[in-house]
Amino acid sequence: MTVLNETHNPQLRSWVASANTEGCDFPIQNLPFAVFRVPGNPHLFHVGVAIGDQMVDLTAAHASGVFNDAGPLAQAAAQACCAPTLNLFMALGSAAWSALRLALSSALREGAPQQTALQVCLVPQANAEFAVPAHIGDYTDFYTSVHHATNIGKLLRPDNPLLPNYKWIPIGYHGRSSSIGISGQQVRRPLSQVMRPGATEPVLAPSARLDYELEVGIFIGPGNTLGSPVPMAQAEQHVFGMCLFNDWSARDVQGWEYQPLGPFLSKNFASTLSPWVVTMEALAPYRQAWTRDVVDPQPLAYLDSPELRQSGAIGIELEVFIQSDAMRNKGMPEHRLSHSNFRDAYWSVSQMVAHHTVNGCNLRPGDLLGSGTQSGPTEGEAGSMMELSKGGKQSMTLPSGEARTFLEDGDTVIFRGACTAPGAARIGFGEVRGTLLPAHPQP
Ligand code: MN
C-alpha cells in the first residue's frame, strides 16, 4: 500500500479557493483524474485533475512549462497525460503517478510560485463534458459483498442462500466494455426474453424489473504478461485508482438467463461510471485492517498477505439517491434510498487482482474491475432495489407519494461516495448519475 506523504497533509490549502470549502469533494489532498472537453471547442478530450470546482487541463499545464522544475519523472507523467485517455499514464506505474501528484500538490498550494502560470490552465468543471476516462479493453464484474450475495441468495434460494464456493473464491464474470458510459448516461430500458411468473413459455418484453447496482469501479494500471500471475504482495501496484460505478441490471432477464453461464443481456445493455478516478495514493489515509471472521474459511495462501491483514480494506462511504420525473417536475430534491461502505466488502481489491491473474490471465492498462453490489450488514445498507424491495414484494414510497419496487421510466439514479478518517482531509468521488428512458418499440 501507499504510505502517507506530504500530499496527504490535512493542513494543506490551495490558492483555488473553492478547494478549501468545507465538504468539497476535491480538496488539494484528493487530485483525481478525468478526461474532458469544453463543448463548442473542437479539440480532443484532455486529461484534467480536479481542484475545488475547477480542474487543471494537463495538456495546457504541460505546455506552459509549469512542470519543468518538477523532475524527469513528473515531466514524463505529465507528457503521458497529453492524450485523450488515461491509458498511457495508467501504464506508467505508481512512481510516475506519485511524482505528478506531488508536482500538482506543490503547484496548487497557497503561495506556490506556479500560481500565475497554472491559473490560466484551469477550466470550470461546470463547463466541461466528460468521457469514459480510459479505453477499457476488458471489464470484469466481481461479487465481493457477502451481504449482497446472501440477500440475493435468500430471494432465489431461501434454503441455501450462499453457494459453497462464495467464501473461497472472489466470484466474478466477464462483462462487456462497449456499453460502459459516463455519468449523465441515458439508459434505454432493455428488451429481452423473460419468463413471467406462472407462464410456461418466455416472451420478448421490456424488462419490468430494472435495477441499479451500487458498485465501485477499479481501474488497472500496469498490466501483467499473459501467463504471469500477480502475487498479492504486488497486486496493488497494478491498480491505478477507483471511481463510482452503476451496473444497471434487469432482474427478470437475469432470473431467466443466468443458469448455467451467468449474466448476459441482463447486464450488458449499460453500465455508468463517475468521471473522476481517485488514485490509490489519495486513498491511503482511509485504509483499514482487513479481517476474516474466525468461523469462516481463511483465504488460501495466494489470497492472503501481511499487507492485506494490515490495511487491505478501504473505507469509502457510498450513497444512492433517486429522483423521479414527477419529483423533478415539482422541483423536489433527490431522495436518499440507501447507503453502505466499501470497507464491508468480503474480498479486497488486491484479492480481486491476485485471483483474476492466478491462472495467468493478463490484465491491461485501463481494464476495469467492478466490485459487485456493495451492501452492508444492516437493512438500510442494501446496494440494489432488488434487496430494498425484497424481490419486488415491498414497495418504497418516494417523497412525491409515488411507489417503487424497481425503477420506472424517467427515474434518475445518483451515487455519491466519500472518504473520511481521523487526522485526514475528507475527499469525495463526485457523483455518477444516469436516467432510465422508455424501451424502444419491439422489433
Ligand atoms: Mn454488478
Side-chain angles (χ1 to χ4, degrees), residues 96-338:
W97 307 333
S98 197
L100 183 57
R101 174 180 165 86
L102 178 59
L104 280 163
S105 171
S106 306
L108 286 164
R109 285 175 206 175
E110 273 181 351
Q114 298 94 332
Q115 177 174 350
T116 311
L118 207 48
Q119 211 145 22
V120 296
C121 305
L122 293 183
V123 176
Q125 289 174 33
N127 291 0
E129 173 196 343
F130 294 95
V132 173
H135 169 71
I136 301 170
D138 282 294
Y139 151 55
T140 305
D141 200 25
F142 281 88
Y143 199 49
T144 67
S145 165
V146 70
H147 306 294
H148 171 73
T150 306
N151 294 342
I152 293 287
K154 273 182 191 159
L155 296 167
L156 299 177
R157 300 172 300 272
D159 302 333
N160 182 25
L162 205 60
L163 292 172
N165 58 7
Y166 187 85
K167 292 187 171 180
W168 294 98
I169 303 179
I171 299 287
Y173 69 93
H174 285 125
R176 187 151 184 95
S177 52
S178 66
S179 52
I180 296 176
I182 200 70
S183 184
Q185 193 173 15
Q186 310 265 304
V187 175
R188 186 68 66 182
R189 182 185 292 277
L191 285 173
S192 191
Q193 267 196 38
V194 292
M195 180 71 101
R196 291 187 171 136
T200 54
E201 287 184 4
V203 291
L204 179 70
S207 169
R209 300 185 134 212
L210 214 287
D211 201 354
Y212 58 79
E213 292 195 330
L214 173 60
E215 304 198 17
V216 294
I218 298 146
F219 273 103
I220 297 297
N224 60 302
T225 310
L226 180 61
S228 300
V230 177
M232 277 293 280
Q234 286 153 34
E236 287 203 14
Q237 293 169 26
H238 292 265
V239 178
F240 174 71
M242 299 176 65
C243 60
L244 305 170
F245 187 55
N246 183 351
D247 181 25
W248 304 86
S249 297
R251 300 301 181 193
D252 41 2
V253 179
Q254 188 177 357
W256 173 231
E257 75 175 7
Y258 87 104
Q259 289 177 319
L261 285 186
F264 184 29
L265 303 196
S266 55
K267 302 280 192 175
N268 70 4
F269 59 95
S271 315
T272 313
L273 285 168
S274 60
W276 296 106
V277 186
V278 177
T279 62
M280 295 308 279
E281 187 171 0
L283 291 168
Y286 319 100
R287 308 294 303 228
Q288 300 178 18
W290 181 96
T291 54
R292 174 59 47 87
D293 200 319
V294 287
V295 302
D296 278 358
Q298 297 305 299
L300 295 183
Y302 81 96
L303 292 173
D304 209 344
S305 72
E307 298 80 20
L308 170 75
R309 299 287 175 161
Q310 194 198 335
S311 57
I314 310 173
I316 305 175
E317 301 142 25
L318 302 166
E319 294 181 292
V320 183
F321 300 81
I322 189 170
Q323 188 183 45
S324 69
D325 222 13
M327 289 167 69
R328 196 161 33 242
N329 292 336
K330 289 176 188 159
M332 301 175 77
E334 303 145 7
H335 170 67
R336 192 169 92 152
L337 279 179
S338 67

Side-chain angles (χ1 to χ4, degrees), residues 39-92:
N41 187 334
H43 68 51
L44 289 172
F45 281 89
H46 282 185
V47 171
V49 171
I51 181 75
D53 60 6
Q54 306 290 307
M55 58 188 156
V56 178
D57 178 337
L58 280 189
T59 305
H62 181 257
S64 78
V66 83
F67 302 118
N68 283 357
D69 299 326
L73 203 49
Q75 284 181 61
Q79 173 76 56
C81 287
C82 298
T85 68
L86 283 167
N87 295 74
L88 281 174
F89 180 54
M90 287 169 161
L92 289 183

